[in-house]
Amino acid sequence: KCRTGPLDIVFVIDSSRSVRPFEFETMRRFMMDIIGSLDVGPNATRVGVIQYSSQVQNIFSLKTFFTRADMEKAINSIVPLAQGTMTGLAIQYVMNVAFTTQEGARPLHKRIPRIAIIVTDGRPQDRVTEVATQARNAGIEIYAVGIQRADMNSLRAMASPPLEEHVFLVESFELIEQFGKQFQDKLCGVNTCMEQEHGCQHSCISTPSSFYCECNPGYRLNVDGKTCSPVNACEDGRHGCQHQCVSTRGSYLCHCHAGYYLNQDKRSCSMIDYCSFGNHSCQHECVSIPNGHYCRCRSGFTLQPDSKSCRATDLCNGVDHGCEFKCVSMEGSYRCVCPEGQQLQADGKACSKCGAGHVDLVMVIDGSKSVRPQNFELVKQFVNRIVDLLEVSPHGTRVGLVQYSSRVRTEFPLNKYHSADEIKKAVMEVEYMEKGTMTGLALKHMVEHSFSELEGARPLSHNVPRIGLVFTDGRSQDDISEWARRAKESGIVMFAVGVGKAVEEELRAIASEPVEQHFSYSADFTTMTHLVENFKLNICPEEGKGETEIRSPCECEALVQFQTNTVAILQSLTEKNILWACSLAQMTARLEDLEKQIANKK
């Protein structure tokens, strides 16, 4: 067996039509004899085989087999191509493909010899000189073996120098087997590491004509090519440690800063969650930091001196709230309120009367086939008369319109138009839908979409009233109770307007409390103008000149506050009277004691 150490060998076999079947069998035996003398394996010698004629065929690459038995089986299964003789094409394939690391060749820096053994019986039909030079310059050592009719000049053009050691001409196929035994010596030679003093500190690797030194894992070869030094794996910056890299012999370890732990990837670090230990005692929130934790209070609360408990902050006293009339503190927040008969404006601070009030109004109109086109035009006029009542602006009243039949369509959302004229024009351009009457589906759409901030509704914290007006002329084809309830529970003041065959039971189910003030009915479309006036009286009670009384939603809270303040004042006065009475009794007793002392002296 060879003692020269690992090699990467690729056999390049001519299978052109000039090679007869029994001659090709001789080539098979030649390859197997050479392989039989090699120490094959993934860390020893690797072998690949290609055949060529007018094309190149890879039989197996350097990474395919690592036992002689597998290689011999693959060689015995080769079917000759029996075409032309494109030797230059084969050398190009060897250089560009066969000796790449993707195909199993060891990297060049490992200095493992790359050997190509070309066996041919004829003259190349393409140019070989230039491509063979490129292959040799790429580090490939080429042996050229010609048989019978092979052209000697072509063999010399392909082979590596010195030519006397790399060019062979065998007179017949019968002699190639005998030549194979001699050729083994060319590949194997002598073990130079054993024949001479190599001076390698760690390992000596023999090559056919010389040797080179290698270092053990964790060391690198010094510039003298013989001695070895430990490798600092952290120096090259490729370790990937997030925090710290600690070099070990031939390797490294990643360490984390204090307060962090190493993740499963052994490179990245995560902060220790001290809050997860369950011993922080924070009343509200625990916040982990690299070396421990601290307590934090929710918005509107202040951390107490014990650094754990929290107390609500009276934001009305602690911030410039800007409320025009009154600031009311809540847990972690505050809100502004207005006196009876006035509304909070969109800024959440100023107060205004209803005539200039601000609401988010969504009108949901029935577009079913029972309405009919001429009546649908009257419905649009009804909508525009309601718009005439309102002071429409981005910061004032906003209006949205939804039409429904068997489906629901948003004609325009609350944030689409910013003036009454724009809205009225858009209303008149609405197209009649026809088909069924799915009032429940329309209510669901209104709750889930129409009063969302995405479609222009002001946040609930701004206290802008949300009003939904549902107009219908008949019985719903789906259930309305669930979404009518949800609408009112979400804070929407619901008005129901019915015409013609509208069902009173459904209108009452839609309307907010008190129901009598929130639903209206008209026998037909031509006589429904009075409904506009009813709607006006109920959303702006001061316009009714005393006919309808709608009390401020803040009144209850104001009464409670007034009662609380009155009780506190009375209690204070009572306490003062008790103290005054006690003091008077003490003074009287003292005077009586003095009188007794004067009488005794007399």
Side-chain angles (χ1 to χ4, degrees):
K1 297 286 187 269
C2 280
R3 299 173 296 168
T4 56
L7 306 169
D8 285 345
I9 298 178
V10 175
F11 289 93
V12 185
I13 304 302
D14 182 353
S15 65
S16 60
R17 66 174 64 91
S18 62
V19 179
R20 289 170 288 185
F22 77 90
E23 295 173 338
F24 194 81
E25 293 304 314
T26 307
M27 286 189 180
R28 291 188 210 266
R29 291 196 299 275
F30 168 73
M31 285 189 286
M32 289 190 286
D33 286 344
I34 299 297
I35 292 172
S37 69
L38 302 172
D39 180 20
V40 297
N43 298 317
T45 292
R46 299 182 183 181
V47 178
V49 175
I50 66 171
Q51 68 167 335
Y52 75 95
S53 59
S54 297
Q55 57 183 313
V56 179
Q57 182 185 38
N58 181 46
I59 306 303
F60 58 87
S61 62
L62 293 167
K63 66 179 180 181
T64 307
F65 302 122
F66 297 113
T67 66
R68 280 186 292 276
D70 288 337
M71 294 177 186
E72 290 177 2
K73 183 178 179 181
I75 290 171
N76 281 326
S77 66
I78 298 174
V79 177
L81 298 172
Q83 295 172 351
T85 311
M86 303 294 285
T87 311
L89 181 66
I91 296 172
Q92 187 79 44
Y93 182 90
V94 167
M95 178 175 61
N96 293 344
V97 180
F99 279 113
T100 61
T101 54
Q102 291 83 357
E103 290 296 301
R106 267 72 65 97
L108 288 171
H109 72 266
K110 288 187 174 292
R111 302 175 65 180
I112 293 175
R114 295 181 173 183
I115 297 174
I117 302 173
I118 303 174
V119 182
T120 180
D121 80 326
R123 182 189 299 274
Q125 294 176 341
D126 57 355
R127 301 178 66 177
V128 298
T129 303
E130 183 177 349
V131 68
T133 301
Q134 292 174 355
R136 294 194 299 268
N137 291 340
I140 301 172
E141 187 178 358
I142 300 177
Y143 287 87
V145 180
I147 304 171
Q148 283 187 340
R149 299 170 293 278
D151 178 58
M152 178 58 81
N153 289 332
S154 298
L155 297 178
R156 295 171 66 86
M158 290 187 281
S160 296
L163 296 179
E164 59 271 15
E165 294 184 9
H166 293 84
V167 177
F168 306 94
L169 184 61
V170 183
E171 295 178 357
S172 67
F173 278 95
E174 290 79 5
L175 297 175
I176 193 170
E177 230 179 319
Q178 179 182 351
F179 164 74
K181 293 179 172 52
Q182 300 171 359
F183 187 70
Q184 292 173 9
D185 295 336
K186 294 292 182 183
L187 286 178
C188 299
V190 295
N191 189 331
T192 49
C193 288
M194 299 186 65
E195 296 294 328
Q196 64 187 60
E197 181 62 36
H198 52 74
C200 296
Q201 184 179 351
H202 286 180
S203 302
C204 176
I205 308 298
S206 271
T207 64
S209 58
S210 183
F211 69 90
Y212 64 91
C213 299
E214 273 195 355
C215 296
N216 296 335
Y219 292 83
R220 60 168 170 241
L221 195 66
N222 294 326
V223 292
D224 60 8
K226 298 181 182 293
T227 60
C228 302
S229 298
V231 174
N232 186 342
C234 296
E235 282 184 348
D236 60 8
R238 294 182 295 178
H239 48 77
C241 296
Q242 184 179 354
H243 284 185
Q244 297 174 325
C245 176
V246 178
S247 183
T248 61
R249 178 171 289 184
S251 186
Y252 65 90
L253 294 173
C254 294
H255 285 188
C256 296
H257 299 321
Y260 292 80
Y261 63 89
L262 194 65
N263 293 323
Q264 290 186 351
D265 61 8
K266 302 300 182 185
R267 286 176 170 78
S268 62
C269 301
S270 294
M271 190 172 68
I272 297 172
D273 185 5
Y274 290 96
C275 293
S276 65
F277 298 163
N279 61 350
H280 52 76
S281 301
C282 296
Q283 183 180 352
H284 283 186
E285 299 174 4
C286 176
V287 181
S288 281
I289 55 177
N291 294 314
H293 72 278
Y294 68 91
C295 296
R296 182 172 63 192
C297 296
R298 293 191 292 269
S299 177
F301 291 82
T302 304
L303 193 65
Q304 297 304 293
D306 62 2
S307 299
K308 294 182 180 180
S309 59
C310 302
R311 185 177 65 189
T313 303
D314 184 1
L315 295 178
C316 286
N317 291 329
V319 298
D320 182 14
H321 53 76
C323 295
E324 181 179 327
F325 178 69
K326 183 179 179 182
C327 174
V328 178
S329 281
M330 300 184 297
E331 185 174 296
S333 184
Y334 70 91
R335 62 187 176 90
C336 299
V337 297
C338 293
E340 181 180 354
Q342 295 191 27
Q343 283 186 318
L344 197 66
Q345 292 190 10
D347 63 1
K349 299 179 185 299
C351 299
S352 65
K353 294 183 179 180
C354 186
H358 307 146
V359 297
D360 285 342
L361 170 64
V362 174
M363 288 181 274
V364 182
I365 59 174
D366 185 349
S368 60
K369 62 183 177 183
S370 62
V371 174
R372 299 183 180 178
Q374 64 272 24
N375 289 332
F376 190 73
E377 293 302 313
L378 295 176
V379 172
K380 292 195 289 185
Q381 293 176 20
F382 170 77
V383 169
N384 279 347
R385 290 196 59 183
I386 292 175
V387 174
D388 285 333
L389 300 176
L390 309 170
E391 295 187 8
V392 178
S393 69
H395 299 293
T397 292
R398 298 181 183 180
V399 178
L401 183 64
V402 173
Q403 183 186 175
Y404 73 96
S405 59
S406 298
R407 57 190 179 90
V408 183
R409 182 173 72 205
T410 296
E411 301 296 351
F412 52 84
L414 288 165
N415 56 2
K416 176 73 171 180
Y417 300 113
H418 306 308
S419 70
D421 289 341
E422 289 178 318
I423 292 173
K424 290 167 68 176
K425 179 181 178 183
V427 168
M428 297 311 296
E429 292 174 355
V430 170
E431 295 183 0
Y432 178 37
M433 292 175 70
E434 298 191 78
K435 298 190 178 180
T437 311
M438 303 292 283
T439 313
L441 184 65
L443 290 171
K444 180 177 185 292
H445 180 89
M446 179 192 72
V447 173
E448 293 185 339
H449 301 286
S450 301
F451 281 108
S452 67
E453 293 183 31
L454 182 65
E455 294 201 3
R458 266 74 65 99
L460 290 172
S461 60
H462 288 186
N463 294 318
V464 176
R466 294 183 172 184
I467 298 177
L469 187 152
V470 179
F471 180 95
T472 180
D473 85 320
R475 183 183 296 275
S476 175
Q477 295 174 340
D478 61 352
D479 180 59
I480 66 167
S481 57
E482 170 69 13
W483 287 100
R485 178 180 59 80
R486 289 200 192 185
K488 289 175 279 191
E489 287 178 353
S490 67
I492 303 171
V493 179
M494 296 297 299
F495 287 84
V497 177
V499 177
K501 296 181 181 180
V503 180
E504 181 177 348
E505 180 185 354
E506 291 186 355
L507 297 175
R508 288 179 173 273
I510 294 171
S512 293
E513 295 289 344
V515 173
E516 299 300 330
Q517 290 180 205
H518 291 85
F519 96 95
S520 304
Y521 175 79
S522 179
D524 59 57
F525 289 88
T526 58
T527 61
M528 65 181 183
T529 53
H530 69 280
L531 302 180
V532 176
E533 211 50 41
N534 289 347
F535 183 73
K536 176 181 179 182
L537 293 176
N538 283 292
I539 65 168
C540 294
E542 71 276 5
E543 299 289 344
K545 300 179 182 177
E547 297 176 17
T548 305
E549 183 179 6
I550 300 294
R551 302 188 69 81
S552 168
C554 300
E555 180 185 18
C556 178
E557 182 180 343
L559 288 173
V560 172
Q561 186 65 43
F562 173 77
Q563 183 181 7
T564 302
N565 293 342
T566 303
V567 170
I569 293 169
L570 289 173
Q571 184 176 355
S572 176
L573 291 173
T574 301
E575 290 174 354
K576 290 180 180 179
N577 288 336
I578 292 172
L579 290 173
W580 178 82
C582 291
S583 298
L584 181 60
Q586 289 174 355
M587 290 178 64
T588 303
R590 178 71 183 223
L591 287 172
E592 290 176 354
D593 185 52
L594 289 172
E595 287 175 356
K596 288 178 182 180
Q597 291 179 16
I598 294 170
N600 289 336
K601 287 182 181 180
K602 289 181 178 179

